[in-house]
Amino acid sequence: MQSKARITALGTHVPEKRLTNEDLEKMVDTSDDWIVQRTGMKERRISAENEFASTLAFKAIENLIKQSQKDVSDVDCIIVSTSTPDYTFPSVASQIQKHFQIKQAGAMDLNAACAGFTYGLHVANGLISSGLHRKILFVATETLSKITDYTDRTTCILFGDAAAAVLVERDEETPSFIASHMGTFGEGGVHLYRTNLSTTMEEHSLNTSGKIVQNGREIYKWASRTLPTGIEELLQQAGLDFDDIDWFVPHSANLRMIESICERTGFSIEKTLTSVEYMGNTSSVSIPLALQKGINEGKLKNGDTLLVYGFGGGLTHAGLIITWGTDDVRHSTN
């Protein structure tokens, strides 16, 4: 299906509180050098006790409106990517509908973990290109700090909180979406999980603390094998070469992992946008944070061709090649 959808606006929000490597040194047996060598991270943002996925989402949407002067009252579908909703139900999307008094819109949350941003864009593109919708508000919002075990030094150094919002609108003349690729390795689900109703996964007994449990070594190996193949599929589908891509924007899980993927694929780290150094791993929000950072630094410009790739729990992954072309009138991260 030929795309008839364009990403027309972007907004982001991060909480005020910073959690630095020096702060973590006081909490667990770790050090700034150890964290930087293994992850490239220096800081991450942490939501306040009374801030939730919906709270951050509202502020990201407000930032989108401020940057683009866009109206969200007429969107006809709201999609939210989150692994940390305020409630099992009602959905965060429903809370957004109420908060912004959007009269005629369907609302749903989806959970593809760290691949949520690329999954959500894929869904929004399909709904608009098929003619079912004309204007979709898509939000990624995560409060991972609330489900992080701060006694586990291997995971507590990783995660941060943030939200981002985009508008995807019907545009038959200058669509954003060029190619897409999705995949799943469900057998690896046991390597990254948070329990809910079930306490076992097939023959495996699970840690039922309600916190994130991750086998970082296995996730690293899976991502390093999977992304190069997915990227090759995307380029072939689009009929493009590496040199045709202006910016590679992978999920900012870990800077060392991104460097490894760049080495395996041939992408230059200098042509890669990340948000990991001062935001940590923000799951489905990491890609739009990197996009906003690229805009703020004068790197990302309208007309640029991007290869964005999300990967994470499930184990799910999804990549897109898109043309960047928003209607934003100003750029700032609040």
Side-chain angles (χ1 to χ4, degrees):
M1 180 188 299
Q2 183 174 356
S3 176
K4 298 177 182 177
R6 180 166 64 91
I7 301 166
T8 62
L10 169 70
T12 60
H13 176 76
V14 296
E16 291 184 11
K17 181 180 177 181
R18 288 174 164 84
L19 181 66
T20 67
N21 291 350
E22 288 73 22
D23 294 328
L24 287 164
E25 288 177 348
K26 302 171 185 176
M27 298 165 61
V28 292
D29 181 17
T30 192
S31 69
D32 176 64
D33 286 344
W34 192 89
I35 296 170
V36 171
Q37 284 179 4
R38 286 161 178 78
T39 70
M41 298 177 188
K42 296 181 179 179
E43 292 182 1
R44 59 291 292 148
R45 297 296 185 96
I46 305 297
S47 55
E49 186 176 350
N50 63 345
E51 287 183 311
F52 298 94
S54 63
T55 320
L56 302 187
F58 298 161
K59 292 179 179 178
I61 296 166
E62 290 165 359
N63 183 245
L64 177 150
I65 295 168
K66 177 183 176 183
Q67 291 198 126
S68 66
Q69 303 297 298
K70 287 279 190 177
D71 181 12
V72 300
S73 66
D74 60 342
V75 304
D76 54 15
C77 186
I78 304 165
I79 302 172
V80 171
S81 165
T82 186
S83 301
T84 54
D86 306 26
Y87 320 107
T88 301
F89 50 84
S91 66
V92 177
S94 295
Q95 293 170 262
I96 290 170
Q97 182 275 329
K98 174 181 180 292
H99 184 82
F100 289 94
Q101 292 294 291
I102 301 171
K103 300 299 183 183
Q104 300 293 327
M108 61 179 174
D109 288 1
L110 64 82
N111 181 358
C114 300
F117 186 72
T118 45
Y119 265 69
L121 286 181
H122 180 78
V123 171
N125 175 43
L127 289 173
I128 290 177
S129 297
S130 68
L132 293 175
H133 292 275
R134 296 195 63 85
K135 187 175 183 179
I136 293 177
L137 176 61
F138 170 49
V139 180
T141 181
E142 306 284 3
T143 54
L144 295 174
S145 67
K146 298 184 187 304
I147 60 169
T148 295
D149 180 358
Y150 284 98
T151 67
D152 178 2
R153 74 177 196 139
T154 63
T155 59
C156 73
I157 64 173
L158 299 175
F159 299 110
D161 303 335
V166 296
L167 278 177
V168 185
E169 302 184 59
R170 188 170 180 87
D171 186 335
E172 299 184 29
E173 300 300 320
T174 56
S176 294
F177 299 88
I178 299 171
S180 64
H181 175 73
M182 304 173 76
T184 308
F185 179 63
E187 294 89 334
V190 72
H191 298 311
L192 179 55
Y193 67 86
R194 178 196 177 208
T195 54
N196 188 13
L197 298 179
S198 178
T199 61
T200 62
M201 191 179 299
E202 297 178 349
E203 75 277 15
H204 301 283
S205 294
L206 303 178
N207 180 324
T208 59
S209 66
K211 304 298 185 181
I212 298 170
V213 179
Q214 175 176 275
N215 183 330
R217 185 181 298 275
E218 290 299 322
I219 299 298
Y220 192 106
K221 286 162 56 178
W222 168 75
S224 296
R225 291 193 310 266
T226 301
L227 264 68
T229 303
I231 289 167
E232 184 178 350
E233 165 64 28
L234 278 171
L235 291 171
Q236 289 180 354
Q237 186 185 140
L240 299 175
D241 296 319
F242 286 107
D243 291 342
D244 298 316
I245 304 299
D246 294 299
W247 297 104
F248 175 43
V249 196
H251 162 49
S252 283
N254 178 317
L255 188 58
R256 306 308 167 220
M257 184 187 298
I258 293 170
E259 290 169 346
S260 174
I261 292 167
C262 286
E263 289 176 6
R264 288 170 180 255
T265 59
F267 278 121
S268 166
I269 194 69
E270 286 75 25
K271 298 301 295 272
T272 301
L273 301 178
T274 69
S275 59
V276 68
E277 189 175 10
Y278 290 99
M279 299 299 170
N281 179 338
T282 54
S283 189
S284 65
V285 195
S286 75
I287 290 174
L289 285 183
L291 295 173
Q292 184 71 74
K293 183 170 179 282
I295 292 168
N296 292 349
E297 293 176 352
K299 295 178 179 178
L300 176 57
K301 297 179 174 61
N302 280 355
D304 285 352
T305 301
L306 316 181
L307 195 156
V308 297
Y309 215 113
F311 55 93
L315 299 171
T316 59
H317 62 101
L320 301 166
I321 295 178
I322 61 176
T323 300
W324 190 252
T326 64
D327 299 330
D328 292 359
V329 296
R330 64 176 72 88
H331 299 296
S332 64
T333 302
N334 67 347

